[in-house]
Amino acid sequence: MSQQPRGLPGFLRRTLRNDVLDAPSASVEPGLGVVGAGMSNVSASGVASSSDPSDAAGITSGSPETPNASLGGSWTSESSGSGCKQLRTVAFPPLPRERGGEESSDDSIDNNENDGRGITQKTTKTLATPSKNSTHSSTSSTTQQQTQNNNNNNQQAQPRSYKETQFETIISSSIISLRDLRKISWNGIPPHHRSLTWKILLGYLPANTSRHASTLHRKRAEYKDARKQHYDIPDDSRTNSEQETLRQVLVDVPRTAPEVPLFHNDRIRRCLTRLLYIWAMRHPASSYVQGINDLATPFIAVFLAGYYNGVSCLDGEVMASVTDEMMEEVEADTYWCLTNLLAGIQDHYTSDQPGMQRMVMRLEELVNRIDVDLSSHLKETGIEFMQFAFKWMNCLLLREFSLSCVIRLWDTYLSEESGGFEDFHVYVCASFLVHFSNELQQMGFDELFQFMQNMPTQNWGDREIEILLSSAFVLSTLFGGSEAHLNVVRA
């Protein structure tokens, strides 16, 4: 069955309009979307319209200012040679090589397309103490009241964009529409709404806002019981296997996110140690595997920032004002959200890690379909995809991007109804690799292998991540769900 075409995100609409429609090879025929431009083998059927100005819509051959057509189609085996180059023109717009100065008005986003980018950087870090209106506080009355108070504070601090207004409308409803929340979250979540939104999208909190307080109280109490049962016990009462697991966790935690000052803090490290060990004890089928420690870091950073109206805590300065109660709540919330995340990719960490191998094979086949030259060069130089892509799948690119970039990436992953951390992640990895295609094809084995181990993304920010997501979205629309998608037999 062919996957139903989805609408294009606002920033993708802008990207394709600027970088593709102006390209000499993009000749748009009547009735075709932008993907059909210059590509005879790509179908643009399945047009859908939407009147919602925040809808992630595509581009039609009419006025680019009227985003009311979805992107769809399939890619056949005849698409090679020039067809691959045309696909790359559409799917991989060039990322800016340097960041600096203000963006031109052509690159700006309308209020009704605002994707929440740059809010973290623009927010002045003036909070020295936790917000009394934090949505995480167990002493607050209800989540809905907390959200309304935070909204009032944010409105006084800075003008609200259309997207922020839409977010506030959705999450302040008595029954939150998960469909609407996923839809608006795809383009990025405002920092002061991110903590609550992630918990809802992961299924940790229910859609019924009246049950948020009771759910948090119950789940945090359950985690306290698990901590007493598995962690707060004498060391001589642990089995040899349990002691080995604890030793491995204690070795890996100090290595976690070494470039982020927040994770140098002893309280954060103790919190991370406990939740990782308890997770391993309660999931013996996979137990603890290196890489799971990295997956916990975005949750800790986001949930801790939730006490400070979304202001980034990555520099670790806020730890002086973080109470023990706050740390216990962050630890419990991180444990349950990590558990829900790993439940969807459980076979990535079981014996032989079949899920990881499946994703690497899919990535190799996908790159072979969209960039034959790069795929051939990697084979000729003796570079195997497993040598560099396994880490991308195991750590979900957490070691390739800064933590702030990963948090933005996860906004989109979580908004995917299913498969964000597996299916869509493969498309992101393919877009990431093909972006450096020209450079990689000029390298020999040693230089290429070293490049793969240290990708030049130090100066990347939300803008680059969003362009990467745009490319991945195009690929998922072209290939997702088609019978000839990838010639890989799933385990």
Side-chain angles (χ1 to χ4, degrees), residues 84-391:
C84 289
K85 294 181 180 179
Q86 292 166 341
L87 172 60
R88 287 189 55 203
T89 300
V90 176
F92 306 103
L95 293 177
R97 292 295 180 182
E98 296 181 1
R99 295 170 56 85
E102 297 182 357
E103 297 181 357
S104 63
S105 58
D106 292 338
D107 291 333
S108 62
I109 299 179
D110 297 336
N111 285 338
N112 61 347
E113 298 176 354
N114 189 292
D115 55 9
R117 293 187 292 111
I119 295 180
T120 303
Q121 291 82 357
K122 294 179 181 179
T123 306
T124 303
K125 192 167 185 179
T126 57
L127 296 178
T129 57
S131 170
K132 295 180 180 180
N133 299 319
S134 169
T135 59
H136 302 278
S137 175
S138 59
T139 59
S140 301
S141 57
T142 65
T143 304
Q144 186 172 358
Q145 292 175 338
Q146 298 159 9
T147 303
Q148 185 62 42
N149 291 337
N150 279 338
N151 294 342
N152 294 336
N153 293 339
N154 293 328
Q155 184 177 14
Q156 296 174 1
Q158 58 183 6
R160 291 183 299 174
S161 66
Y162 173 84
K163 182 174 183 178
E164 289 176 323
T165 303
Q166 290 293 96
F167 252 104
E168 292 163 7
T169 301
I170 293 172
I171 65 177
S172 61
S173 302
S174 57
I175 303 295
I176 296 174
S177 170
L178 295 180
R179 178 182 178 276
D180 292 342
L181 187 61
R182 290 192 184 100
K183 182 178 178 182
I184 196 173
S185 297
W186 207 99
N187 288 341
I189 303 172
H192 52 283
H193 292 311
R194 182 172 282 133
S195 178
L196 176 62
T197 302
W198 278 24
K199 292 174 183 178
I200 296 172
L201 293 178
L202 278 163
Y204 177 46
L205 290 179
N208 188 338
T209 56
S210 65
R211 294 171 50 199
H212 283 187
S214 60
T215 300
L216 288 174
H217 178 78
R218 175 173 54 84
K219 300 298 285 186
R220 289 166 177 171
E222 288 180 16
Y223 179 76
K224 284 185 178 180
D225 293 339
R227 177 174 166 177
K228 294 177 182 178
Q229 178 183 354
H230 297 291
Y231 192 85
D232 297 333
I233 60 177
D235 288 337
D236 56 9
S237 64
R238 307 183 200 274
T239 65
N240 291 336
S241 176
E242 291 172 346
Q243 290 180 6
E244 177 59 25
T245 299
L246 181 58
R247 185 198 67 80
Q248 185 62 56
V249 170
L250 291 171
V251 168
D252 286 348
V253 165
R255 303 172 180 172
T256 304
E259 73 286 352
V260 181
L262 176 65
F263 291 93
H264 298 174
N265 184 274
D266 289 338
R267 297 170 69 194
I268 293 292
R269 288 180 173 179
R270 288 194 295 269
C271 160
L272 188 57
T273 299
R274 285 191 294 266
L275 70 91
L276 290 175
Y277 177 77
I278 294 172
W279 187 90
M281 293 299 99
R282 300 188 68 173
H283 297 82
S286 58
S287 189
Y288 173 76
V289 178
Q290 285 182 320
I292 296 180
N293 55 315
D294 293 298
L295 303 187
T297 57
F299 293 124
I300 293 177
V302 168
F303 296 160
L304 189 60
Y307 289 91
Y308 298 88
N309 285 332
V311 177
S312 175
C313 300
L314 298 182
D315 58 10
E317 295 179 1
V318 301
M319 291 306 298
S321 62
V322 174
T323 65
D324 291 340
E325 181 183 6
M326 290 166 57
M327 283 301 306
E328 291 176 358
E329 293 174 355
V330 168
E331 181 179 334
D333 295 345
T334 298
Y335 170 82
W336 289 115
C337 288
L338 179 65
T339 298
N340 290 358
L341 168 62
L342 293 176
I345 53 176
Q346 186 80 30
D347 63 348
H348 292 199
Y349 304 100
T350 55
S351 178
D352 296 329
Q353 298 182 276
M356 298 289 184
Q357 299 183 42
R358 180 176 65 246
M359 291 176 70
V360 173
M361 288 190 292
R362 292 179 62 211
L363 173 63
E364 183 175 3
E365 180 65 22
L366 183 58
V367 173
N368 188 52
R369 298 282 295 278
I370 63 179
D371 196 335
V372 177
D373 294 338
L374 175 59
S375 181
S376 299
H377 179 71
L378 293 176
K379 292 178 182 178
E380 291 171 0
T381 54
I383 295 292
E384 299 288 340
F385 273 74
M386 192 65 71
Q387 293 174 316
F388 64 88
F390 185 85
K391 182 178 67 170

Side-chain angles (χ1 to χ4, degrees), residues 21 32 47 61 63 118 126 144 147 206 240 257 281 390 395 407 414 429 435 462 469:
L21 293 181
L32 287 180
V47 176
S61 58
S63 171
T126 57
Q144 186 172 358
T147 303
N240 291 336
M281 293 299 99
F390 185 85
C395 301
I407 289 172
L414 289 169
C429 290
H435 168 66
D462 283 359
L469 290 168

